[in-house]
Structure formats: C-alpha cells, structure tokens
Amino acid sequence: SAVGRGPEVPFRSEAYRISAVARGKELRLTLSALDPAATAPQDLVFRFGMSGSFRLCPAAELPRHAHLRFFTGESPPRALCFVDPRRFGSWRLGDAWQPERGPCVVSEYQAFRGNVLKNLDDRAFDKPICEVLLNQKYFNGIGNYLRAEILYRSKIPPFEKARTVLEALKEQEQERRKKDPSLTLSKKVKLRQENPDLLELCHTVPMEVIMAEKQLFDPEHSDNYAAFKNWLQCYLVPGMSSLRDHSGRTIWFQGEPGPMAPKGEPRKTPRKKSPQLKADPEAPTPKVSPRALKRRCRAAAKPPKSEEEEEEKEEEAEGPRKGRARGKRKVTAAPALPEPEVPQGVRRSRRTSARRGKGETGSH
C-alpha cells in the first residue's frame, strides 16, 4: 500500500503459489512462480508485533491497514492481506531468520530446551524469570500473555530469579534419569503430561493456542474474542495481581510476586465494577465556583484509563530497548477490547466545553 513502511517486493508473476513456515515469532512466506523459468522465487520474513495478522477477503473489500496484498486469479478475485493497524509488525526480504533468536518453543522443542539448560551461566538468567521468558534468544515465541499463563500454571512467582528456577529444574531432570534410566518414551511423555515443568509448559501452552486459533483469534468477531478471554486463566483476568517489571511491561500473576519484584504494591484487577449511586432528585444543588467548574470540565474530557488501555504494546523484547526521548512514553491499548464507557455527566461536560469554545455560555 502507499502508506506501508515495508520494503518493495521485487517479484512479478501473473501466476504464483504462496507457501509458509513459522519459527517462533517469525513467519516466512515463499512466492514461487508456476512457471519456474519466468522469475526466481522470493522469500519474505514477517514479524507481527502486537496487531499484525493475515486476512483473506474479497479484493473489492480490502480492510484498512492492509499494507501488503496478494491477489488471487479467480473471479471475483480475493486478496491475502498483511493487516497491521498499529504498524508494530514488519517484513524483510530474504529467507534468513533473525540470527539472535533461539530455537522455536513449538517446532524445535528439544533444541529449545537444550539451549536454555546448557546456557544457565549466561548473565541473562540473573533477571527475574518473568523477564527472561521474553528474551527471544532463549524463549523464541513467548510473549506477554503467554508468560503470564505459563508462570500461573507452573505456580512460580514471576519475580523469582530465573537461574534459581531453571537450575532446580535441571537437577530434577538429572535425578529422574538416575532413578529410572530404563523409562520408555511413552512413560516419559505420560509423566510430563501429568506434571509438566516450566520448559514443557513453554511448549504445550502455545500449542493449545495454535490448535484452537481458528476459534480464538479473530478480532472481527466478538464471540471468538470472548472465547479467547475465557481460555485465559491469568492474563487480564479479574482478581489477579499485576506489576510493571523492570522493563516497564505488565505481568499478571497470583500470590506473592517473588524476591526480585520492583518496589510498589501489586495492583489487583477488579472483579467487577462498583455500582453507581443514583442521585437524589430532592438534594440541593451545590454551588460551584467558575474556576472549579473549569477544572471539572478539563478532567471530564479525559476519562480514566482502563486496565487494558494501560497495557503496553506487545513487542518482541529480544534485546535491550532502543532509547527514547526523556519524558516521552507511548501507552497503547490492548487489541479488540471495548473502550471504557463514558459516564453521562462526562458527556454533558464535553458538550459544555464545546459550546464555550464556540463563544456560547453554558449553565449548570
């Protein structure tokens, strides 16, 4: 599209096939001409950020923010679109995965597990386990909501030291081998299913999402997003606690945060909205000074942020964040969540402010 930030794709073919393979948080598309002599294949590697996705739709009804489009040859044609409303995602030319990313937690589980356990002397594991789970060098594919779900199921405090957690896991694995080296593969699988450890949950929890993705991930249909919210056991769930980690990202959890928690009390996600008190029609109207009235109008024009709006944008977090200008900080709402309802009094105040801006006088 004209406003897309990705590079131009130097591939021209009247008839071609698209194939795909995923690794962690990256997806590689390969464009192959049906006539091999016409043009060479072209690879594209995508990162999705927080809001990127692919959507197949009629070519005459392209969605907004469709930054890259592949058109079918049928009649009427359809378009496979890379849609990214917040533009956190990207694509690049070539078939290479990002070199700093480790093995995929889903498709390369044994390599992923070995990569973690053999590198526990890395300084990266000096951090809390909730922060290390976002390190794509070791946990390629784990994002913010997945880390909350994994730690909740494993009953591990999010701010426990990562090396402490993983070294204990390594010792348990070695003891299990010593006790019964003759365990068959089927028995090992059964034991892991009955009592999965942290690294196994890094594989099985994303697999649950993948197996149900057609039902869970379609923000265009509210019923499907409701199914995803019902699947969540911890992330954004009412009654859970939340804290900003040392990178400024919110982690949801239950119970104690752990010894490496930042200063400050955890916030509780409210279980339900408190009932609003009805105004007494016979109560006298309090007098309000013009200065106080102005303050109320300004405050009313900025409704309070919901828990979801305070959630930071979902980024890859594979390394240190780039520097930002001092004092500037972006806060982005979570996807497909409803905006907080604005009370009626707030709407009246906004209308009053609008009339005053046009030179009219408002009365209360």
Side-chain angles (χ1 to χ4, degrees):
S1 70
V3 297
R5 297 178 181 176
E8 284 287 335
V9 181
F11 180 83
R12 298 290 180 271
S13 177
E14 291 299 321
Y16 59 97
R17 180 180 291 108
I18 301 177
S19 58
V21 61
R23 184 177 186 266
K25 286 193 173 186
E26 294 182 292
L27 179 76
R28 182 169 64 210
L29 295 189
T30 300
L31 315 181
S32 305
L34 297 187
D35 179 7
T39 185
Q42 176 66 58
D43 292 300
L44 306 170
V45 177
F46 288 80
R47 291 172 60 187
F48 293 90
M50 182 178 182
S51 61
S53 65
F54 276 97
R55 195 177 307 169
L56 185 63
C57 59
E61 302 173 13
L62 292 178
R64 293 183 63 191
H65 311 291
H67 300 304
L68 195 61
R69 305 92 176 256
F70 305 94
F71 294 95
T72 67
E74 60 193 334
S75 182
R78 291 183 294 170
L80 177 66
C81 305
F82 177 63
V83 182
D84 188 13
R86 293 179 179 143
R87 302 190 189 185
F88 297 160
S90 63
W91 69 84
R92 63 183 184 276
L93 305 178
D95 62 352
W97 307 113
Q98 282 189 314
E100 64 269 24
R101 290 178 178 270
C104 175
V105 297
V106 171
S107 61
E108 302 168 301
Y109 170 67
Q110 291 299 336
F112 147 71
R113 187 180 183 93
N115 186 46
V116 172
L117 294 181
K118 73 181 181 183
N119 288 294
L120 292 181
D121 57 346
D122 190 329
R123 292 176 59 185
F125 296 98
D126 291 339
K127 297 181 178 181
I129 185 63
C130 67
E131 297 177 18
V132 175
L133 282 174
L134 296 182
N135 186 333
Q136 301 299 293
K137 180 179 178 181
Y138 295 108
F139 294 88
N140 185 13
I142 302 301
N144 205 24
Y145 82 88
L146 284 172
R147 69 168 176 171
E149 296 299 313
I150 290 165
L151 291 173
Y152 172 78
R153 298 190 192 192
S154 62
K155 297 180 175 60
I156 295 174
F159 292 95
E160 186 67 62
K161 191 174 183 179
R163 186 177 290 107
T164 302
V165 172
L166 295 167
E167 282 184 343
L169 187 155
K170 187 176 182 179
E171 291 172 3
Q172 290 173 4
E173 187 175 90
Q174 291 173 347
E175 290 176 4
R176 190 186 304 169
R177 289 176 181 173
K178 290 179 182 178
K179 287 181 180 179
D180 196 350
S182 62
L183 277 178
T184 63
L185 179 60
S186 60
K187 287 183 179 180
K188 288 180 181 178
V189 171
K190 184 178 179 181
L191 286 173
R192 288 177 178 177
Q193 289 176 342
E194 293 172 351
N195 188 27
D197 61 36
L198 176 71
L199 296 181
E200 287 160 352
L201 287 171
C202 287
H203 172 73
T204 58
V205 174
M207 283 298 298
E208 288 180 20
V209 180
I210 291 170
M211 298 302 292
E213 64 181 349
K214 289 183 179 180
Q215 178 185 6
L216 296 182
F217 289 101
D218 189 353
E220 295 296 314
H221 299 87
S222 58
D223 292 344
N224 291 345
Y225 187 67
F228 172 60
K229 291 183 72 175
N230 291 334
W231 175 83
L232 295 170
Q233 298 180 28
C234 180
Y235 181 80
L236 289 176
V237 171
M240 294 295 168
S241 301
S242 65
L243 269 175
R244 295 274 183 177
D245 65 20
H246 297 91
S247 300
R249 307 187 68 192
T250 302
I251 175 70
W252 274 263
F253 61 94
Q254 185 179 53
E256 294 298 320
M260 299 182 73
K263 294 180 180 180
E265 291 296 320
R267 295 182 302 171
K268 279 282 186 181
T269 306
R271 291 189 178 275
K272 60 181 180 179
K273 293 182 179 179
S274 57
Q276 295 182 352
L277 297 178
K278 294 183 178 180
D280 184 358
E282 298 182 2
T285 303
K287 293 183 179 180
V288 182
S289 66
R291 182 176 297 178
L293 184 60
K294 288 182 180 179
R295 285 199 300 267
R296 288 187 183 182
C297 291
R298 284 196 298 266
K302 298 179 180 180
K305 295 177 181 178
S306 68
E307 188 74 29
E308 292 86 353
E309 285 178 320
E310 291 181 358
E311 170 62 0
E312 68 289 343
K313 64 185 180 183
E314 179 75 17
E315 294 177 316
E316 310 306 338
E318 64 271 11
R321 290 189 168 193
K322 294 182 179 180
R324 293 177 178 170
R326 287 187 67 181
K328 293 184 179 180
R329 184 178 182 181
K330 292 184 179 179
V331 180
T332 308
L337 293 176
E339 295 183 1
E341 182 179 355
V342 182
Q344 187 175 359
V346 173
R347 291 195 290 268
R348 283 201 302 268
S349 300
R350 286 177 175 172
R351 289 197 294 269
T352 302
S353 300
R355 287 199 299 270
R356 289 183 176 178
K358 294 179 181 179
E360 299 179 9
T361 58
S363 59
H364 286 256

